[in-house]
């Protein structure tokens, strides 16, 4: 399996690496037979100090979004080719979750996992060949409100998909229970 991690706004590429390692462990996959890929967003975050962003959330209308989506699509196509016959799973957190949903759900991947994600304004999932989707969100998330999670579910269901939803009592994070639920979901996809 190839697990591709997409970090959130203001983090760096290796931010989710411990999460990825934990998920592989819960799946019982030896790191020697699994590939963990931590992709780094292309643009520096305004905070500096190595922080990255997929696009600038502070810029009205997010004009960089279409180019960011296209660039990630090309990167994921390369990852899928490199995986060969191994299943590919794309996991994103927050802004990385939004990117994973838009870019990876129509691609030939085994699953998409979005933690504390949100839908991009014009994102409408197609109805053909959508990947299985797992969504986790904190009920008290002050950064990305729970309404974003509900909107993702609504859009996916309108496209004929059946996302698996895991709402936890918490904020903008990924607690152990959400990781365990994601591992259970993945066991059914792989």
């Amino acid at each position: 399996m190839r697990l591709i991690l997409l970090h959130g706004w203001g983090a760096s590429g290796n931010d989710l690496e411990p999460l990825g390692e934990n998920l592989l462990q819960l799946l019982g996959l030896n790191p020697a037979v699994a590939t963990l890929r931590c992709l780094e967003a292309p643009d520096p975050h305004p905070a500096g100090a190595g922080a990255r962003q997929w696009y600038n959330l502070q810029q009205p209308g997010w004009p960089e979004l279409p180019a960011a989506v296209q660039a990630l699509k090309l990167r994921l196509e390369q990852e899928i080719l490199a995986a060969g016959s191994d299943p590919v799973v794309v996991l994103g957190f927050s802004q990385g979750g939004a990117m994973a949903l838009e870019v990876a759900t129509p691609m030939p991947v085994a699953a998409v996992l979005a933690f504390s994600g949100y839908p991009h304004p014009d994102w409408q999932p197609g109805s053909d060949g959508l990947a299985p989707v797992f969504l986790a969100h904190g009920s008290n998330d002050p950064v990305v409100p729970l309404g974003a999670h509900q909107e993702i579910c609504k859009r996916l269901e309108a496209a004929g998909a059946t996302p698996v939803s895991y709402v936890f009592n918490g904020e903008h994070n990924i607690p152990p229970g959400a990781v365990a639920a994601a591992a259970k979901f993945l066991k059914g996809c792989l």
Side-chain angles (χ1 to χ4, degrees):
M1 178 177 93
R2 179 171 286 238
L3 177 59
I4 300 169
L5 305 174
L6 308 178
H7 64 83
W9 192 63
S12 62
N14 62 356
D15 181 59
L16 296 176
E17 188 172 10
L19 167 71
E21 291 169 349
N22 185 22
L23 191 56
L24 292 177
Q25 185 178 34
L26 288 172
L27 291 169
L29 295 175
N30 182 324
V33 298
T35 302
L36 185 59
R37 298 279 294 144
C38 303
L39 301 190
E40 187 159 87
D43 299 329
H45 184 273
R52 309 296 293 177
Q53 61 186 359
W54 299 97
Y55 51 90
N56 190 344
L57 282 172
Q58 296 173 329
Q59 198 167 2
W62 303 341
E64 302 161 339
L65 178 58
V69 165
Q70 186 58 32
L72 181 58
K73 182 180 179 200
L74 294 174
R75 289 172 80 183
L76 289 182
E77 286 171 349
Q78 293 170 346
E79 292 290 338
I80 291 167
L81 281 174
S85 61
D86 289 342
V88 174
V89 173
V90 180
L91 181 158
F93 174 69
S94 195
Q95 188 180 55
M99 293 295 287
L101 286 165
E102 176 147 357
V103 179
T105 53
M107 298 183 91
V109 298
V112 175
L113 312 173
F115 292 87
S116 304
Y118 55 90
H120 289 140
D122 296 329
W123 174 61
Q124 293 298 331
S127 56
D128 293 333
L130 292 177
V133 176
F134 173 86
L135 304 167
H137 212 104
S139 59
N140 303 309
D141 190 332
V143 179
V144 179
L146 185 58
H149 174 88
Q150 295 160 338
E151 181 62 25
I152 294 166
C153 289
K154 182 176 148 186
R155 292 187 195 185
L156 285 167
E157 288 165 357
T162 308
V164 172
S165 169
Y166 180 84
V167 176
F168 57 90
N169 184 19
E171 296 187 0
H172 196 66
N173 59 8
I174 306 173
V179 180
K184 181 179 177 184
F185 167 79
L186 279 179
K187 285 179 182 176
C189 297
L190 299 175

